[in-house]
Amino acid sequence: MNEPIILGIESSCDDTSAAIIRGNAILSNIAANQTIHQEYGGVVPELASRAHQQNIIPVVEKSFTKANIQQKDISAIGFTRGPGLLGSLLVGTSFAKSLAMSLDVPLIEVNHLQAHILCHFIEDANPMPPKFPFLCLTVSGGHTMIVLVKDYFDMEIIGKTIDDAAGEAFDKIGKIMDLDYPAGPIIDKLAKLGDENAFTFGKPKLENYDYSFSGIKTSVLYFLQKQLKENPNFIKENVENLCASVQKTIVDVLMKKLEKAAKDYDVKEVAIAGGVSANSGLRNAMQKNVEKLGWNVYIPKFEYTTDNAAMIAMVAKLKFERGEFTDLRTSATARYDM
């Protein structure tokens, strides 16, 4: 039997992406990033959906060209139904429904957060995929959670943020320090040149496996306000040490709960996913636990960390095998439980 060829479409936030998968192998993974949001210091939903409308046809066309696949070869279309920005999701959902109808192929709805976790099963994501059960720290600008993954579609959220996501904390702290948006990658880059023990910031003391990042942001804000009164150039003169210290604080908080969960659930298979899984501090902390705690660690390729359609296509392929299709009555949803 020939392996199914599936088109995946992702439009949950500000990246328009299309990918084609055959089996578990990605044949193309194309993304159009939206730079317009940088001048506003964050994603503007109305501008995001307009940009998706401009990008989606060229991105899908390019994914077919790069994969050397024709539209008639497609077995099904997978799309992000949610969670995300409703206006952005509507563009991808409407396009996927229209194309599926015109090609007369099945439609498969995908949960964006499940897709981040299941990207680990893409053929070239890791040397080996994780074994069930495994823990996955899913961490991005919009979400931060620890998920116990018992099977492909049997997932339990055992801890999550009660306020800001980790990526959001990076961006908001970056804004306080007058860094460009998105600040996460800039902080990561500057942190490599600084002393991570130069400054200490308050950490939350929550029970169980839940996270909180708003307190860290406030701690940095008050610290900087105090220092700037004494030296107006404090941030400029200490930016590398500040970035290193902020990154260490956020990574320490993330890892402490993940380590507690792994110990309590007696799990050695541990993965990270989502945009913040590209952070070098977090990746290094994960690698250290291979020796320190005997973990088998799964860190996705950089192209599968940010929002991408390859992970959507991967989930669609798994659902295709199970015969889990949706019909044209489906609609985008900003909130979508795993």
Side-chain angles (χ1 to χ4, degrees), residues 188-323:
D188 190 5
K189 190 177 171 185
L190 292 171
K192 293 181 178 124
L193 307 168
D195 174 8
E196 62 179 22
N197 298 308
F199 309 109
T200 52
F201 302 110
K203 292 178 186 172
K205 293 179 174 64
L206 286 178
E207 295 299 315
N208 60 38
Y209 313 110
D210 285 344
Y211 289 110
S212 169
F213 293 99
S214 62
I216 297 171
K217 181 188 65 192
T218 309
S219 172
V220 173
L221 176 66
Y222 289 165
F223 172 77
L224 289 177
Q225 283 175 342
K226 187 182 170 195
Q227 297 299 327
L228 288 167
K229 275 182 190 167
E230 295 167 22
N231 174 11
N233 295 317
F234 181 81
I235 293 175
K236 199 177 280 184
E237 290 168 9
N238 295 277
V239 69
E240 289 156 358
N241 287 347
L242 282 167
C243 287
S245 303
V246 163
Q247 181 163 290
K248 182 182 189 293
T249 305
I250 292 174
V251 169
D252 283 354
V253 169
L254 288 169
M255 291 305 297
K256 190 177 177 187
K257 293 293 173 118
L258 186 59
E259 287 167 8
K260 176 175 162 57
K263 183 170 180 262
D264 291 354
Y265 281 85
D266 193 23
V267 172
K268 296 287 187 192
E269 302 277 307
V270 186
I272 53 173
V276 180
S277 68
N279 179 275
S280 63
L282 181 57
R283 290 168 97 94
N284 292 341
M286 287 288 287
Q287 290 293 0
K288 280 178 188 166
N289 282 352
V290 173
E291 278 188 33
K292 193 172 96 178
L293 300 173
W295 285 4
N296 294 321
V297 162
Y298 303 91
I299 299 169
K301 274 174 70 172
F302 281 108
E303 69 175 292
Y304 302 142
T305 56
T306 51
D307 292 346
N308 66 89
M311 65 185 193
I312 305 303
M314 182 68 240
V315 178
K317 182 257 177 182
L318 292 167
K319 286 192 166 189
F320 184 91
E321 290 173 339
R322 288 160 178 73

Side-chain angles (χ1 to χ4, degrees), residues 44-63:
V44 182
E46 173 66 21
L47 296 177
S49 23
R50 286 184 193 177
H52 281 304
Q53 287 175 317
Q54 292 165 347
N55 291 339
I56 195 152
I57 290 173
V59 164
V60 171
E61 278 184 342
K62 200 170 175 184
S63 71

Side-chain angles (χ1 to χ4, degrees), residues 162-182:
I162 59 167
D163 43 55
D164 292 350
E168 195 179 353
F170 274 118
D171 287 337
K172 286 180 176 176
I173 291 168
K175 201 169 187 177
I176 295 166
M177 288 170 25
D178 208 23
L179 300 177
D180 286 342
Y181 174 87

